[in-house]
Amino acid sequence: MSVLSGKKIVLGISAGIAAYKTASLVRLFIKAGAHVQVIMTPSSKDFVTPLTLSTLSKNPVHSTFYNEEDENALWNNHVELGLWGDLMIIAPATADTLSKMANGTCDNLLIATYLSAKCPVYFAPAMDLDMYKHPSTISSFNLLKQFGNTIIPAEKGELASGLSGEGRMAEPENIIIFLEKDLESKLPLQGKKILITAGPTHEAIDPVRFIGNHSSGQMGFDIASSAANLGASVTLISGPTHLSVSDANINLIRVISAQEMYVACHEYFNSSDVVICAAAVADYTPKLVATQKIKKRDATLSIELEKTQDILASMGEIKQNQFLIGFALETENEIENAKLKIHKKNLDLIVLNSLQDEGAGFGKSTNKIIFIDKDFNVEPMTLKSKLLVANDIMNKVISHYEKNS
């Protein structure tokens, strides 16, 4: 999955012959899973039509502050457009537009949006060779870099004038590659390996029955998604669940029993930087598993159970530099029991759920947690969607590495 997936992109188009390439650029953004809003300078419409770009982006194209043909039309709010984007890319960026950006010459909707943008801004210059090398253009480049904007370098090749040299706007495919590499390099967990467990385990009684619980696995899967979005390479070990993953950065390993999860966790533990155990692993498993279906004969049935191996504690015993996070689901004396688990299992952080809190626990789309770290600092959180809780957990991981960098 592209790092651009889900990103909201404001594409600014200025009046250069390279504007015709933006139809392909919009198509590639959409193919990567991004959402695109296009802003054109009025003159750029001589090179590519708004109809083409609106069709490809599936959004209206913006060009002026208001519709001159409709006196009752709402104005295009440049502040709103600037705040909407996760990224702003200006391509092609002509010498004229670059100068306006550098000097704050706000005479069109594109520049007004640029000056209002709070997101990272990229620009792809496009102009003739002598214009590209002119001191005023170089000055614009330097000023924009000082503002924190990022240049997508022009390529060498045949130019509209017939000359050959530097100044040709980067090809749409190369713009996508540049953006993906640049964004990936800035992800806070790039290069980190994170091991996550999720879901229930099923402990067989006979070939058709098992001991299990109501865990859906959603919390663990959301943590995996959040970690992958931040650049981590994720190994997700999941018990039986209907959930699936589509992110190429998540390696999903399916298991059934606590023993299978134990083996899988220890296979990946030593190579992991962060381990997050969100699975609801069975504490007990039948001592003997019947080879045939147990028939209903007597009024009662006794099954002898034995403890499963404590996966979290076993990793706590051998951890070296791993940042180890556990989950605790409690019904009474929540804080005290969670603190005991931190000490007993050698954890760096525990995520506490209480079944006393409405909206928390198994089978819900929300969760309400309390963070407790190894120094017993307690941080209650509000009720949130599980995806937002996953983001909070990953922020704890990021903070850990920032403190130890």
Side-chain angles (χ1 to χ4, degrees):
M1 180 181 292
S2 171
V3 70
L4 295 172
S5 179
K7 291 285 190 295
K8 293 179 287 187
I9 297 176
V10 177
L11 174 61
I13 302 173
S14 59
I17 185 64
Y20 81 90
K21 296 181 181 180
T22 57
S24 295
L25 183 57
V26 171
R27 182 181 61 82
L28 290 173
F29 280 141
I30 297 299
K31 186 177 180 181
H35 309 285
V36 182
Q37 295 264 17
V38 177
I39 304 174
M40 304 178 71
T41 62
S43 297
S44 69
K45 292 186 284 186
D46 293 333
F47 299 95
V48 62
T49 68
L51 177 61
T52 297
L53 297 171
S54 64
T55 301
L56 292 170
S57 68
K58 302 177 177 62
N59 280 311
V61 169
H62 309 284
S63 180
T64 56
F65 288 100
Y66 60 93
N67 185 348
E68 296 177 354
E69 298 177 359
D70 183 359
E71 63 181 14
N72 296 314
L74 295 175
W75 74 306
N76 288 315
N77 189 331
H78 59 89
V79 175
E80 188 175 288
L81 286 168
L83 295 177
W84 176 83
D86 296 314
L87 303 169
M88 185 174 188
I89 295 96
I90 299 173
T94 61
D96 179 55
T97 291
L98 289 170
S99 177
K100 290 176 180 178
M101 292 166 61
N103 294 286
T105 306
C106 187
D107 64 354
N108 61 48
L109 180 63
L110 173 55
I111 300 301
T113 303
Y114 164 73
L115 294 173
S116 301
K118 297 293 186 290
C119 60
V121 176
Y122 297 80
F123 60 96
M127 63 200 74
D128 210 72
L129 175 62
D130 292 333
M131 296 172 68
Y132 192 77
K133 297 293 186 181
H134 196 276
S136 64
T137 305
I138 301 300
S139 175
S140 294
F141 290 164
N142 291 334
L143 275 172
L144 292 173
K145 289 177 185 177
Q146 290 176 28
F147 297 161
N149 301 164
T150 302
I151 185 171
I152 302 175
E155 298 176 357
K156 293 181 179 179
E158 186 176 347
L159 303 171
S161 65
L163 298 175
S164 183
E166 197 171 15
R168 182 186 181 99
M169 188 182 91
E171 293 300 316
E173 294 82 0
N174 294 335
I175 290 177
I176 297 294
I177 291 170
F178 182 95
L179 291 171
E180 288 178 333
K181 287 184 177 179
D182 191 67
L183 291 172
E184 287 172 356
S185 70
K186 295 173 181 176
L187 292 173
L189 295 178
Q190 183 69 23
K192 297 297 181 187
K193 295 182 178 180
I194 299 185
L195 174 63
I196 299 168
T197 67
T201 63
H202 289 176
E203 309 303 316
I205 297 172
D206 61 22
V208 299
R209 301 182 181 92
F210 61 85
I211 297 172
N213 58 59
H214 297 294
S215 173
S216 67
Q218 189 66 60
M219 189 72 256
F221 275 71
D222 282 346
I223 295 170
S225 177
S226 180
N229 288 338
L230 292 167
S233 176
V234 178
T235 297
L236 175 61
I237 301 173
S238 174
T241 174
H242 70 283
L243 300 173
S244 60
V245 298
S246 57
D247 195 315
N249 288 323
I250 302 175
N251 174 30
L252 175 60
I253 298 170
R254 295 192 182 275
V255 298
I256 296 176
S257 68
Q259 178 60 26
E260 289 177 355
M261 186 170 284
Y262 178 94
V263 171
C265 284
H266 280 272
E267 180 179 347
Y268 290 93
F269 180 76
N270 288 334
S271 60
S272 299
D273 300 300
V274 180
V275 180
I276 305 173
C277 291
V281 182
D283 294 322
Y284 290 89
T285 187
K287 190 171 185 178
L288 296 173
V289 180
T291 58
Q292 301 294 326
K293 179 183 176 183
I294 299 172
K295 297 296 184 181
K296 183 170 65 174
R297 295 189 180 93
D298 302 322
T300 61
L301 174 67
S302 295
I303 299 174
E304 188 176 3
L305 303 177
E306 61 182 358
K307 274 189 176 183
T308 57
Q309 297 184 84
D310 192 319
I311 298 172
L312 186 56
S314 68
M315 291 190 289
E317 289 176 0
I318 62 172
K319 82 168 185 177
Q320 297 176 348
N321 297 316
Q322 290 89 349
F323 187 57
L324 185 57
I325 302 175
F327 271 65
L329 179 62
E330 301 290 343
T331 58
E332 57 183 354
N333 300 321
E334 293 94 341
I335 301 293
E336 293 76 9
N337 287 332
K339 288 180 177 179
L340 287 172
K341 286 184 179 180
I342 291 174
H343 177 72
K344 184 179 179 181
K345 302 188 181 188
N346 194 23
L347 306 181
D348 296 291
L349 181 71
I350 200 162
V351 181
L352 172 62
N353 291 133
S354 171
L355 283 181
Q356 306 300 324
D357 291 326
E358 187 176 350
F362 293 148
K364 297 181 174 66
S365 61
T366 57
N367 206 352
K368 185 178 181 183
I369 65 168
I370 299 174
F371 287 118
I372 308 176
D373 65 21
K374 63 182 179 181
D375 296 320
F376 297 154
N377 294 308
V378 178
E379 183 182 356
M381 309 297 287
T382 59
L383 182 69
K384 299 180 181 181
S385 71
K386 286 186 174 178
L387 185 56
L388 289 179
V389 172
N391 293 341
D392 287 340
I393 293 169
M394 297 319 302
N395 285 335
K396 290 293 183 182
V397 174
I398 294 169
S399 295
H400 165 74
Y401 284 106
E402 288 176 345
K403 291 176 183 175
N404 292 279
S405 61

